[in-house]
Amino acid sequence: MTKEQAEVKQQTKRILNRFGRKRGNLVPILQKVQGKLGYLPREAMLEIAEFLGIPAIDVYSVVTFYNQFRLNPPGKHSIRVCLGTACHMKGGYITLDAWKRRLCIDRGQTTPDREFDLDIVACVGCCVMAPVSVVDDKPQGKVEPTKVDGILLSFKLKKEKQGKESQ
Amino acid sequence: MKTVSLTIDGKKIRAREGEKVLWAALDNGIYIPNLCALHDALEPFAACRLCFVEVEGKKQPVTACTEAVEQGMVVNTRGPGALRLARTAFELLVASLPVDCAHCPSSGSCELQKIAAHLSIKLKTKRFRKLLRELPIDYSSPLFIYDPNKCVLCGRCVWICRERLGIGTLGFAHRGFDRLVTTFGSEPISESKCLDCGECVVACPTGALAFKDRQGIKSGLGKGG
Ligand code: SF4
Ligand code: SF4
Ligand code: FES
Ligand code: FES
């Protein structure tokens, strides 16, 4: 087991101590563990299953059912592509495909360098700007594939600038 | 044991009190399409919506796997209302299945073929748009192949592995169209806690779980409900 995995186990155990071994506690436990770790790693799910005395697949089942739960660590920047009705009509799926292609990950995943994570949201309430992508909690409007490139470029430039300044 | 008498398709039968119509019919050689029913399960899943029958005195068709027999009950498994519901449910199912019987190891023992024949419809749909999932096939078990594309989500394998055997390798994951039967973390079967007992393969009504060695099917480990 790696150091990170051992750490995850320890932290999960600490949270589990505060709960009874009731199956009904599964969702609150998952929420607390994700609140602490930012996502639900494999070791955490196994630990929870053992604690509640249920097959690990049952934990996985619940984690993959609710949008709220993440199987991957959050990236430094979060990209949420809106697929609400308006954004759907305005080509939200094309935008999502563009993000997927540029970042080389699927929805629900994080880039290996943990810079970006990608997922979808339903309507975020700014339909006039459709198709919308919420980038680091800020809704960006009219995000067509070219704008995806633009947003990624500005992140890259910012990072390069920071890199130079810190040298 | 208390029994009741009822009529199914004109045939007078007796059944254990509290028994569900589906089992009473099947035990008496009357076939009703079904995918998700397991006699030993405490609660019927009632997920596949194929077992509709008509009961005299009831306005709407009912699912035979959830309806308990009653004294004097008159059941018609061939009523137009029931068949219409079953056919629609079946077509919706087929709309997201890759139907390729010619190359499927389960052809001949597949419940879907049997149901299609029984309902006098083809294993295809004209009414609905075909939408396939294109999921990777798991060849990792030495004993069997798991092709989630052919899975109808009946839950039989999940129940067998968990409730009957107490192992709990398989379960449902994800939601909506993405829903599938899989292992913890969607890891290959060979890396899961599967014991390669093959019970789930025997229970699977479709070609989703199929033995690698076709002889295995013939030599005893036969398919069936
Ligand atoms: S082969 Fe046995 S242990 Fe493995 S998944 Fe099927 S029922 Fe479970
Ligand atoms: S693999 Fe077979 S038994 Fe299991 S849910 Fe799918 S169709 Fe049913
Ligand atoms: S549908 Fe995307 S913001 Fe409303
Ligand atoms: S057998 Fe009745 S709903 Fe599946």
Side-chain angles (χ1 to χ4, degrees):
Chain A
M1 196 181 301
T2 67
K3 222 177 119 205
E4 196 180 337
Q5 286 169 335
E7 179 75 2
V8 162
K9 258 183 110 130
Q10 273 317 312
Q11 281 178 317
T12 308
K13 276 206 174 110
R14 231 169 284 144
I15 291 169
L16 287 171
N17 278 336
R18 310 207 295 262
F19 286 92
R21 293 175 191 264
K22 272 203 327 237
R23 198 191 163 117
N25 284 337
L26 177 55
V27 168
I29 289 172
L30 290 171
Q31 285 169 326
K32 276 275 177 311
V33 173
Q34 174 160 299
K36 180 85 198 168
L37 303 174
Y39 74 117
L40 292 160
R42 191 174 181 278
E43 287 68 33
M45 289 193 285
L46 288 172
E47 204 61 43
I48 295 167
E50 200 190 304
F51 178 79
L52 294 176
I54 58 177
I57 172 73
D58 286 9
V59 177
Y60 184 69
S61 192
V62 170
V63 169
T64 55
F65 185 87
Y66 294 108
N67 259 339
Q68 161 187 28
F69 296 126
R70 305 181 46 87
L71 287 168
N72 295 296
K76 223 161 88 197
H77 304 291
S78 84
I79 314 290
R80 296 289 174 273
V81 183
C82 181
L83 292 180
T85 311
C87 291
H88 178 99
M89 297 306 291
K90 285 281 194 175
Y93 275 96
I94 300 169
T95 305
L96 177 62
D97 276 341
W99 283 114
K100 280 193 202 169
R101 250 196 322 270
R102 299 294 182 273
L103 297 173
C104 298
I105 52 172
D106 213 337
R107 54 166 285 216
Q109 296 183 338
T110 305
T111 52
D113 60 5
R114 296 204 184 174
E115 277 290 308
F116 297 96
D117 63 57
L118 176 66
D119 215 333
I120 58 168
V121 282
C123 180
V124 290
C126 12
C127 312
V128 282
M129 296 165 24
V132 173
S133 288
V134 185
V135 179
D136 288 339
D137 294 329
K138 272 215 291 296
Q140 305 274 350
K142 308 253 180 299
V143 184
E144 325 273 346
T146 44
K147 186 142 176 199
V148 169
D149 289 337
I151 293 169
L152 284 174
L153 185 67
S154 69
F155 274 126
K156 198 172 147 212
L157 292 177
K158 231 184 265 160
K159 202 174 166 204
E160 278 172 10
K161 211 172 131 206
Q162 275 168 2
K164 270 196 202 116
E165 274 166 9
S166 65
Q167 264 168 27
Chain B
M1 184 175 73
K2 266 182 96 175
T3 60
V4 299
S5 57
L6 67 157
T7 314
I8 304 182
D9 292 353
K11 188 173 169 184
K12 279 225 166 338
I13 63 168
R14 296 197 73 81
R16 186 176 56 82
E17 194 179 29
E19 182 62 290
K20 302 291 192 268
V21 170
L22 176 67
W23 305 110
L26 294 177
D27 286 347
N28 285 279
I30 302 166
Y31 183 68
I32 299 172
N34 69 89
L35 285 173
C36 68
L38 279 162
H39 206 174
D40 300 342
L42 280 179
E43 287 286 323
F45 311 142
C48 73
R49 319 311 287 170
L50 292 171
C51 65
F52 280 107
V53 294
E54 292 177 15
V55 176
E56 229 176 75
K58 289 200 192 258
K59 278 206 211 98
Q60 305 283 348
V62 293
T63 42
C65 66
T66 57
E67 192 75 9
V69 293
E70 271 169 43
Q71 177 63 33
M73 194 179 210
V74 179
V75 180
N76 178 9
T77 72
R78 288 284 183 179
L83 288 181
R84 184 161 173 250
L85 284 172
R87 285 191 181 118
T88 302
F90 191 75
E91 268 188 69
L92 281 166
L93 206 63
V94 168
S96 53
L97 289 179
V99 179
D100 185 17
C101 302
H103 299 104
C104 180
S106 298
S107 184
S109 59
C110 174
E111 197 74 15
L112 297 174
Q113 292 173 320
K114 184 171 171 185
I115 294 171
H118 183 85
L119 295 174
S120 317
I121 52 176
K122 297 239 164 64
L123 268 162
K124 52 177 145 190
T125 173
K126 284 211 190 86
R127 263 194 295 169
F128 305 120
R129 187 159 56 101
K130 195 100 187 166
L131 199 56
L132 298 176
R133 293 184 294 172
E134 294 173 25
L135 297 160
I137 302 173
D138 186 342
Y139 295 96
S140 70
S141 157
L143 189 71
F144 62 89
I145 297 169
Y146 172 47
D147 181 349
N149 301 293
K150 294 181 183 172
C151 173
V152 293
L153 301 175
C154 69
R156 286 200 204 185
C157 56
V158 174
W159 188 88
I160 297 280
C161 187
R162 162 176 326 204
E163 304 296 332
R164 184 175 299 158
L165 306 167
I167 304 167
T169 310
L170 303 171
F172 290 99
H174 301 280
R175 190 166 38 145
F177 190 67
D178 296 325
R179 191 131 177 100
L180 86 160
V181 163
T182 186
T183 57
F184 172 68
S186 284
E187 287 161 5
I189 302 261
S190 61
E191 283 163 37
S192 72
K193 55 180 177 176
C194 172
L195 305 175
D196 288 311
C197 66
E199 291 293 329
C200 56
V201 185
V202 177
C204 178
T206 73
L209 288 163
F211 288 108
K212 284 188 170 169
D213 173 14
R214 288 210 63 192
Q215 297 320 110
I217 302 175
K218 287 180 199 128
S219 61
L221 286 166
K223 286 220 156 189

